[in-house]
Structures are given as structure tokens and as C-alpha cells.
Amino acid sequence: AMTAAKSMFGAAEMSEYGFYMGGFSTVPAGVDTNYEYNPFTDAWATRTAIPTATNTPGCASDDDNGRVYLFGGNTVEGNVDTTRYYTKHTDAWATDTSSPVTMTNHVPQTYEHGMYVCGGNFGGQPATNVYRFNISPTAPTAFYVESYKGYVFLARTSGQPSAVFYSLPGDAR
């Protein structure tokens, strides 16, 4: 069972883990909870709370950067006009100022290094907007960089010295 009963929360899956954030509980203003579900242990864990209690946010994951994005939503003051993201590895929140979305009840989705936010509700009216944000992962700085048959290979990076990174054929991202 979920940790606490909620409705109108944001939910996303990242690297086989489930996240549910914000929503309604018994207070209509929204909650700041952030829960992670581990399917391997069938257990829920509480993670760092959302900076602002939010209900009806859009939620989508970016596996390349290890982030779960929370778009828009509603608070006791009104619509949220910021995009926040949670980084699993650091258990911390940050604000993405390049992608403000002031909507509720919308559907974000990731596709080919882009985050798309569609439809929803804006000021009590159905929204027809579609926003696209670039979420291309930043290439790590590496000691070894090699190009071979359309691939780019990186090795011995400062963050992961024993890992080898590579691009898709013909795509240096």
C-alpha cells in the first residue's frame, strides 16, 4: 500500500523506481511529500520534501540526468509558475528557470532528449499549449575521448573514473 492516501499527485517512474509527489491529503492546499517506491524490496521511502506544497502537478522523469521533474501545479496562493526537479542521487530539489509552466492537470512526457508538457488547465480554462524543453544530458569531462565509426567514446571521467560513456551513432549528444 502507499505510505499515505492522496489524490491529484504527480507520479513518474525512473530507473524502475516509482515516485509520487505532492497532491491532496486532508488539506486542500496540497502537500509537500515526496515518496519513492522500490519494486525490488516492495517498500516505500520518504525522500526530501518538495520546497512548496503542491497539488495537481505534472510529473515526468529524465533517466539520463537522474531527475524527476515537477511542472506547475497549484498551491494555496494559486498556480505554481516554476518547474522544479528532484535529483535521486543527491536527494535534493532545484528549480529549472528555463522551463516555467503555469498549469495544472497537464501531462508531461520525455522523448528524445526533450520534455514535452501538453494541455492541462490554465486559470480555470482548458489549455491547448504544448511546451518543449531541452533536457539533453551534459557530456561528462573525460581524460580519454575517442571517435570511432560515428560514435563518441568517453572514459575516465572525474565523476565516474571506471565508466565508459558513448553516444548514439552519428549523435554526439
Side-chain angles (χ1 to χ4, degrees):
M2 294 172 75
T3 304
K6 296 207 179 14
S7 64
M8 302 265 199
F9 54 88
E13 176 272 330
M14 182 175 60
S15 301
E16 299 185 34
Y17 288 78
F19 290 86
Y20 84 99
M21 304 168 167
F24 286 121
S25 187
T26 56
V27 180
V31 293
D32 64 357
T33 53
N34 175 15
Y35 295 107
E36 175 188 61
Y37 175 70
N38 181 334
F40 306 106
T41 61
D42 192 26
W44 290 93
T46 303
R47 298 294 177 220
T48 299
I50 302 168
T52 305
T54 306
N55 63 64
T56 63
C59 193
S61 67
D62 172 15
D63 279 331
D64 291 335
N65 288 316
R67 296 176 179 169
V68 177
Y69 283 81
L70 207 59
F71 292 97
N74 213 347
T75 68
V76 72
E77 288 87 25
N79 284 2
V80 175
D81 63 356
T82 57
T83 297
R84 294 141 301 168
Y85 62 87
Y86 170 77
T87 305
K88 178 182 162 102
H89 301 294
T90 60
D91 192 31
W93 285 90
T95 300
D96 184 349
T97 57
S98 67
S99 55
V101 174
T102 309
M103 293 187 298
T104 61
N105 301 313
H106 49 282
V107 181
Q109 184 64 48
T110 55
Y111 179 72
E112 290 191 3
H113 303 295
M115 182 78 67
Y116 296 84
V117 181
C118 309
N121 186 317
F122 182 78
Q125 299 296 316
T128 59
N129 300 341
V130 176
Y131 297 97
R132 183 193 186 281
F133 306 106
N134 183 16
I135 57 169
S136 287
T138 304
T141 303
F143 185 76
Y144 297 106
V145 178
E146 185 69 37
S147 176
Y148 179 74
K149 292 189 177 183
Y151 289 90
V152 175
F153 292 90
L154 305 169
R156 199 170 151 199
T157 64
S158 57
Q160 294 180 317
S162 62
V164 174
F165 296 90
Y166 63 93
S167 67
L168 297 172
D171 184 356
R173 292 182 295 178

